[in-house]
Amino acid sequence: MRSDGERPETHAEEPDESSLRDPDIVTTQELAALLRLTPLTIQRLRDNGVIRYMDTGGVIRYSYAQVKDDLMTHAEQRRAERLAKKQQDTSAQEAKVVEFLDKTITEGRKGTPELIAQHFDIGIKAAKNYLTQAAPVIVRRRDLVSRALIAKENRLDPRQVHSLLHREDAPDPILQVGRTMYYQRAEITRLLERINHPA
């Protein structure tokens, strides 16, 4: 019994655990809600080493900021891996195109985008891209020359080159890259010798 004037006894409420925690530190359920993922997905990311976590007394917790960084790093790594694989696949395909063009020229046929598209069962745009990438290798390997190079090496103007390549005994182009035609250097040399030194 208390006399008048005495204050009633009060008891401070103990704060619950969530109010004491750093707001950045979250549980699996809370992290799943924040990222709009399922708890199972969070567990899989954790088990695969994608995201870091803390084990406090058998309770798994995460730093939300750290997890966001981890996921961003993982996404960047995946993009880099996909790009590297794509480049590797492209390089392998370009090597196949080079070998196909080499064989085509040996057989006396002209290397064109249409021929590449038909052989590799790809679109004409992709065939043109592969041909553009493969052309420098084939030009060096087969010692090919373009009209511009024929003019430069033999001191001819474009009209003379045009007339030269339209002769009945002129060689046919063996490679077409865009609008550029390439010819065997040896055949062009023999043609010029026939013209300059007729029998």
Side-chain angles (χ1 to χ4, degrees), residues 38-145:
T38 66
L40 186 60
T41 299
I42 298 297
Q43 180 181 340
R44 187 172 67 250
L45 291 171
R46 183 184 72 224
D47 292 345
N48 290 337
V50 175
I51 60 175
R52 288 167 284 182
Y53 66 95
M54 299 166 285
D55 188 340
T56 55
V59 179
I60 301 297
R61 300 191 190 281
Y62 313 80
S63 163
Y64 181 49
Q66 189 177 73
V67 167
K68 288 193 295 184
D69 288 342
D70 289 343
L71 291 176
M72 185 175 296
T73 299
H74 180 65
E76 290 172 353
Q77 290 174 342
R78 291 290 299 274
R79 282 194 294 270
E81 289 169 0
R82 286 195 296 268
L83 179 59
K85 186 178 186 305
K86 183 178 179 181
Q87 290 174 338
Q88 185 179 16
D89 292 344
T90 299
S91 297
Q93 184 73 347
E94 286 173 2
K96 291 179 182 178
V97 171
V98 166
E99 295 309 314
F100 171 70
L101 287 173
D102 201 30
K103 181 181 177 182
T104 297
I105 292 171
T106 299
E107 294 171 349
R109 295 184 293 163
K110 183 170 71 173
T112 64
E114 291 76 15
L115 193 63
I116 292 172
Q118 181 181 6
H119 180 79
F120 291 100
D121 193 24
I122 58 178
I124 192 67
K125 184 177 180 181
K128 288 180 178 179
N129 289 337
Y130 283 128
L131 178 55
T132 299
Q133 296 297 322
V137 178
I138 290 296
V139 167
R140 289 193 302 271
R141 182 183 295 184
R142 287 288 180 163
D143 196 20
L144 307 183
V145 289

